[in-house]
Amino acid sequence: MGLGATGIALAEWITSRNDLQLVGAVDTSADKAGKLLGDLVGGAPQIVVASALDDLLEADVAVLATSSWVDTVEPTITALVERSLNVVSICEELRDPTRTHPEAVARLDDLARNRGVSVLGTGCNPGMLMDTLPLLLSGLTLGVRSVHVERTADMSRYGAILNKFGLGLSPEEFEERRDAGTVMGHVGFAQSITALARGLGWDLDRIEIDPVTPAALAATEGRLEQMVISPGAVSVVRHQARGVLGGDVVIELVANFGLLDYSEGWSAADALRIEGVEQTISVTAPSGYESFLSTVAMAGNALAAVVEATPGFVTLSDLPVASLAGRGCAR
């Protein structure tokens, strides 16, 4: 469901698998609904893209690639679960909304249990890099004092998601739209921090999320999937958040997202540091993790896991590590 840039990539990945069968697709946009999926996705079966759920065949799992917000996707997930479909969604707020949207979690959990299916939110970030990975690595310490994760990611392969970052705007437009709430930067900080704190057994005082700010302006014209970034427009944004416990910052997450100009000193990179009682664990990926493909991989690799999971609303922390392994190589 949802044939934007990420949805199409997911459909291509599913089509390439020899253990999965793609049986339907839904998109409400006029330029996709009613067309043959094979005309949009290379190698996909020649099935008609539906504009509504009622036109779909029966299936085991629905992959939802539409919105970043729980309030927006909950009605769709409810409709899918009522049809006894397991759901994997890349909605950022669905990663672990137990703190931010407890009522929605309770509703979805109750319905999914009654229908004998599971609902899972996953992705690269949130999903893995700022929450599941540091949780897993924390097992190497006798106790964790703090966690710091910083990502610098090239977003050039993304589609409509770019609008919420404010890329391509003049600094003045950026500030106006940020103040109006239409530019909000990275969505998912609260959910990643919630997942980390829950896993570490921390009852946080609060979660603080700073306003997103421009980190770089384009020196030359740049092109992204959905837009052209003119010289002088915002090309990279910086956004950060923290979890506070006992008055101390114990979780700090930083994201630099945009069209990276390597000639200006920018480069994709990921760094994770866990300050332990007896040692510091540091992991650095100098070239970074490819965000777009990693999101596709996380959602795709979770398809079997969500079918096998205990019915209800589940998070990545509830699943066995091996169930998320990359098994997509069709050899």
Side-chain angles (χ1 to χ4, degrees):
M1 296 195 66
L3 290 172
T6 309
I8 286 177
L10 276 162
E12 290 175 342
W13 184 87
I14 292 169
T15 300
S16 73
R17 292 286 293 258
N18 57 13
D19 58 341
L20 301 172
Q21 181 183 4
L22 185 60
V23 297
V26 181
D27 195 289
T28 58
S29 62
D31 62 333
K32 296 187 177 75
K35 291 190 175 181
L36 293 175
L37 183 61
D39 293 339
L40 302 171
V41 178
Q46 293 288 28
I47 53 181
V48 176
V49 177
S51 60
L53 282 176
D54 293 341
D55 299 325
L56 285 180
L57 299 172
E58 295 300 315
D60 300 303
V61 186
V63 188
L64 186 60
T66 54
S67 173
S68 300
W69 295 277
V70 167
D71 292 343
T72 303
V73 301
E74 185 183 357
T76 303
I77 295 174
T78 298
L80 291 166
V81 172
E82 285 177 341
R83 293 184 57 156
S84 298
L85 279 158
N86 295 281
V87 178
V88 171
S89 173
I90 61 170
C91 169
E92 291 99 314
E93 285 191 337
L94 208 67
R95 164 59 180 97
D96 191 333
T98 52
R99 182 178 181 128
T100 56
H101 300 81
E103 297 86 359
V105 171
R107 289 190 294 266
L108 292 173
D109 184 61
D110 183 62
L111 180 61
R113 288 176 185 271
N114 289 334
R115 295 291 181 170
V117 296
S118 300
V119 176
L120 173 73
T122 185
C124 166
N125 182 43
M128 176 58 75
L129 297 179
M130 284 187 167
D131 36 64
T132 303
L133 182 59
L135 271 179
L136 181 62
L137 292 174
S138 74
L140 298 173
T141 73
L142 298 175
V144 176
R145 298 191 190 280
S146 65
V147 177
H148 176 93
V149 185
E150 180 163 357
R151 301 205 63 222
T152 300
D154 192 309
M155 305 297 286
S156 58
R157 297 192 62 177
Y158 282 91
I161 190 177
L162 297 173
N163 293 326
K164 64 184 177 222
F165 291 110
L167 301 176
L169 301 177
S170 69
E172 295 76 20
E173 290 174 316
F174 183 97
E175 185 174 345
E176 290 174 2
R177 296 194 190 184
R178 182 188 60 195
D179 294 345
T182 57
V183 166
M184 66 289 296
H186 174 62
V187 176
F189 275 138
Q191 289 70 34
S192 287
I193 291 174
T194 296
L196 263 173
R198 278 210 308 143
L200 294 169
W202 291 347
D203 184 12
L204 297 176
D205 303 337
R206 63 187 180 276
I207 294 173
E208 300 173 347
I209 303 175
D210 295 342
V212 60
T213 59
L217 304 180
T220 58
E221 182 178 276
R223 294 184 177 272
L224 296 173
E225 181 75 19
Q226 295 286 325
M227 68 184 68
V228 174
I229 297 182
S230 302
V234 176
S235 58
V236 182
V237 299
R238 182 175 177 85
H239 206 182
Q240 50 193 21
R242 63 198 64 83
V244 180
L245 177 62
D248 296 325
V249 175
V250 293
I251 299 172
E252 186 175 34
L253 306 181
V254 182
N256 304 296
F257 290 155
L259 180 62
L260 304 181
D261 186 342
Y262 293 84
S263 68
E264 293 291 323
W266 286 99
S267 62
D270 283 89
L272 180 159
R273 186 179 73 253
I274 300 170
E275 299 286 349
V277 172
E278 80 300 352
Q279 67 172 324
T280 296
I281 297 170
S282 296
V283 177
T284 302
S287 298
Y289 303 103
E290 216 289 349
S291 291
F292 182 81
L293 293 178
S294 295
T295 295
V296 172
M298 284 294 297
N301 288 322
L303 293 177
V306 76
V307 173
E308 297 165 0
T310 301
F313 185 93
V314 297
T315 72
L316 289 172
S317 301
D318 300 319
L319 301 177
V321 173
S323 71
L324 301 174
R327 302 176 182 177
C329 187
R331 291 184 179 179

